[in-house]
Amino acid sequence: MKIMSRLSTILLASAMLAGPALSAELRIGLQDDADVLDPAQSRTFVGRIVYTAMCDKLVDVSPDLKIVPQLATEWAWSADGKELTMKLREGVKFHDDTPLDAAAVVATIERNMTMPESRRKSELSSVSKVEATSDYEVKFTLKAPDVTLLAQLSDRAGMIVSPKAATELGANFGSAPVCAGPFKFVERIQQDRIVLEKFADYWDKDKVFIDKVTYLPIPDTTVRLANLRSGELDMIERLAATDAASVKADDSLTYADVVNIGYMALYVNIANGALADNPFGKDKRLRQAFSLAIDREALNQVVYEGTAVGGNQPFPPNSPWFNKELPVPARDLEKAKALIKEAGFERVPIEMQIPNNPVAAQMMQIVQAMVAEAGFDVSLKTTEFATLLSEQTAGNYQLSRSDWSGRVDPDGNLHQFVTCEGGINDTKYCNPEVDTLLNEARASTDDAVRKQKYDAAGKILNDDLPVIYLGHQSWIWATKKEVTGFVPSPDGMIRLLGVKKG
């Protein structure tokens, strides 16, 4: 009996030790740290990556950029385009075990529209009201037709949060976020890690094969890749293009890429506080000269090893929304110098803040050298990315490099950045004519009409240059060979349903 008892004890101890080893943890290296983990308040690309695992949306985007069901199973527009009715998935729970129903959707949308700290207001500005028409049906009533609303609901504006947690935590929701995605929040240590674990009651739990996800911000691309190779990470996003060939040749790694729908850009402080009071912010001729001094194709070929393309618009040249009447400009130093002289300057000093990752730094050092030949003396101020965005919002910058991950609908790449009351208009550029054109583009369901509006607005913006576009890169991922089931998407998100490890 004693022998059997001891054997049982040994077997039990072995089972307990074996348990954690069988647990699948996915460690993902991010280029930046996320900002606040509240869909209503956040603005970072990496924040959206975390939300993809933590916060389901009313609708999602497929790899071929179609709007597909998620929390909403079906939807319909009224004949006049001013009402959107959505039927909700039944039996869905938030991570705090409260039910996700029409009342919860209404509470989240109203929070996004009214909370003082919300950055979703401009994305939902066309919504007059949202109401529960049954336990699992909601109706959006719009001030005017807005074809972009569905696309907005496929991102942070459509991420539904627990009304209980939102009420209890208010603007501090990001300290303990509660959503309805496949993974729930465990802990967050700023600049170190964000930890999520599998939510046992997720509505589509049969597609969840990972037990724990840890996101680690590692801005240095070389360090990120080294950690992947050493086994400290299982997956990294935004692999440096210079490392693409090396990863493809490594039998222990898997390479994946896809051209993105976003852009790389420089934001000019036009009217955001005291630092806007400088020649570059006040005189568009200097901004035009700066843009003309950049060789975009050479810049992108050198930095991104041919995986990126030069651009001068919020849409890439292969997009149907690209304005072909405004081709990517060739470098013209003589014209740039002439514009600087016309503005009354020989040399123009300007401080540019850039994120602390080596690829962005390399790119901006090349830009710094290019524009110096025209007459710009650029000093580079390197900062952590979340801090950079905070400084942009506060107006503590003259010129700032910040990329946008892109949206399915063209409105999402433009409206909130350049309209007078845009939720992410850090330049504080304001042109009523641009507002009118972009608002009219939102209201039309005719793509030809929308294209005309975007083209017209683009001509004005290309002249005023509150945002100087540089180009469009590819999203590039690398994973350990044992990680399978990952499907790359042009929106750059890491969707974990179907992903396995081992």
Side-chain angles (χ1 to χ4, degrees):
M1 292 292 291
K2 289 183 179 179
I3 294 174
M4 289 298 295
S5 177
R6 185 175 178 188
L7 180 60
S8 299
T9 302
I10 292 171
L11 290 173
L12 179 60
S14 299
M16 290 175 68
L17 288 170
L22 296 174
S23 176
E25 178 185 1
L26 199 67
R27 293 157 299 181
I28 301 175
L30 303 177
Q31 181 166 291
D32 313 295
D33 194 19
D35 58 348
V36 58
L37 291 180
D38 181 348
Q41 299 184 63
S42 71
R43 59 178 293 172
T44 58
F45 172 68
V46 289
R48 292 175 61 224
I49 291 177
V50 176
Y51 293 139
T52 301
M54 188 171 67
C55 301
D56 275 9
K57 304 159 289 190
L58 288 171
V59 290
D60 198 12
V61 178
S62 67
D64 59 353
L65 301 178
K66 299 287 195 302
I67 302 293
V68 295
Q70 197 167 67
L71 293 174
T73 56
E74 57 183 284
W75 51 88
W77 288 98
S78 61
D80 63 2
K82 293 179 68 174
E83 290 181 356
L84 173 65
T85 302
M86 308 187 91
K87 290 187 177 180
L88 304 177
R89 192 176 302 279
E90 297 186 26
V92 177
K93 288 183 179 181
F94 290 108
H95 299 150
D96 59 7
D97 290 326
T98 57
L100 192 156
D101 55 14
V105 172
V106 170
T108 293
I109 300 299
E110 289 181 343
R111 178 177 188 264
N112 288 342
M113 292 170 61
T114 61
M115 188 172 74
E117 297 83 1
S118 174
R119 291 184 179 276
R120 309 283 80 86
K121 292 175 185 176
S122 65
E123 298 166 16
L124 297 168
S125 61
S126 63
V127 178
S128 173
K129 66 176 178 177
V130 58
E131 55 192 321
T133 47
S134 74
D135 288 347
Y136 291 97
E137 184 178 274
V138 294
K139 183 172 72 174
F140 293 83
T141 301
L142 311 187
K143 301 168 188 172
D146 178 11
V147 71
T148 74
L149 181 60
L150 263 182
Q152 300 292 5
L153 297 176
S154 75
D155 196 25
R156 285 170 291 210
M159 294 176 187
I160 309 305
V161 304
S162 161
K164 180 176 180 288
T167 300
E168 290 174 355
L169 295 171
N172 198 35
F173 179 85
S175 65
V178 180
C179 294
F183 296 88
K184 63 181 181 179
F185 178 80
V186 176
E187 69 168 343
R188 194 247 176 101
I189 298 176
Q190 206 84 25
Q191 303 301 326
D192 183 71
R193 65 184 181 270
I194 296 170
V195 182
L196 311 180
E197 67 181 17
K198 179 179 178 179
F199 178 47
D201 289 328
Y202 182 59
W203 63 269
D204 204 9
K205 61 186 175 184
D206 290 345
K207 295 178 183 175
V208 182
F209 303 104
I210 303 297
D211 297 303
K212 180 181 179 183
V213 189
T214 302
Y215 298 92
L216 299 123
I218 305 173
D220 191 308
T221 53
T222 303
V223 175
R224 247 187 353 267
L225 179 55
N227 283 359
L228 180 69
R229 284 196 159 116
S230 71
E232 293 298 312
L233 295 173
D234 302 299
M235 180 179 200
I236 60 174
E237 55 101 15
R238 279 178 283 181
L239 174 76
T242 49
D243 292 321
S246 170
V247 168
K248 289 178 182 178
D250 191 330
D251 289 339
S252 70
L253 303 178
T254 301
Y255 174 93
D257 70 3
V258 65
V259 175
N260 79 21
I261 53 177
Y263 56 77
M264 299 175 280
L266 298 172
Y267 293 80
V268 182
N269 190 338
I270 303 292
N272 191 355
L275 291 185
D277 190 16
N278 69 84
F280 197 75
K282 297 300 181 187
D283 196 328
K284 67 181 181 182
R285 292 171 296 185
L286 295 179
R287 302 192 291 274
Q288 292 167 357
F290 193 99
S291 180
L292 286 167
I294 301 171
D295 186 333
R296 287 166 169 80
E297 289 304 332
L299 180 67
N300 285 286
Q301 288 294 318
V302 169
V303 177
Y304 292 98
E305 302 273 316
T307 64
V309 296
N312 65 327
Q313 299 175 35
F315 323 116
N318 63 350
S319 166
W321 301 102
F322 184 83
N323 185 354
K324 293 180 180 178
E325 294 181 13
L326 295 174
V328 179
R331 192 184 193 211
D332 192 336
L333 272 179
E334 293 310 310
K335 188 173 180 181
K337 290 176 181 177
L339 283 166
I340 292 173
K341 187 175 181 180
E342 184 183 315
F345 293 88
E346 289 294 328
R347 308 291 303 179
V348 182
I350 185 164
E351 182 182 79
M352 182 196 305
Q353 67 166 1
I354 65 173
N356 64 337
N357 75 73
V359 177
Q362 180 195 8
M363 190 178 195
M364 292 304 97
Q365 286 161 5
I366 295 173
V367 168
Q368 181 186 40
M370 286 179 173
V371 300
E373 294 182 40
F376 292 97
D377 296 319
V378 176
S379 59
L380 300 177
K381 179 184 178 182
T382 304
T383 185
E384 187 271 326
F385 187 62
T387 302
L388 178 145
L389 292 180
S390 295
E391 294 292 85
Q392 272 188 203
T393 301
N396 295 327
Y397 76 102
Q398 293 180 337
L399 184 62
S400 182
R401 160 70 189 273
S402 178
D403 303 344
W404 182 242
S405 52
R407 298 295 181 270
V408 175
D409 190 279
D411 181 89
N413 277 13
L414 197 52
H415 194 282
Q416 58 194 328
F417 295 97
V418 296
T419 52
C420 297
E421 301 298 325
I424 317 180
N425 183 357
D426 292 339
T427 72
K428 299 305 179 189
Y429 170 80
C430 182
N431 185 322
E433 188 177 357
V434 170
D435 276 33
T436 298
L437 287 164
L438 295 183
N439 287 334
E440 288 174 349
R442 274 186 165 184
S444 176
T445 57
D446 186 330
D447 280 354
V449 172
R450 297 187 78 203
K451 181 71 163 63
Q452 291 173 357
K453 303 294 183 184
Y454 289 122
D455 285 355
K459 288 180 180 177
I460 298 170
L461 294 167
N462 190 63
D463 186 60
D464 289 345
L465 288 179
V467 181
I468 300 172
Y469 301 99
L470 300 175
H472 313 270
Q473 59 183 302
S474 290
W475 300 126
I476 309 177
W477 299 268
T479 64
K480 299 294 286 185
K481 212 72 172 182
E482 57 265 30
V483 175
T484 58
F486 171 66
V487 179
S489 179
D491 65 3
M493 296 299 99
I494 298 174
R495 291 174 173 82
L496 295 177
L497 293 189
V499 173
K500 299 179 180 180
K501 179 184 174 184

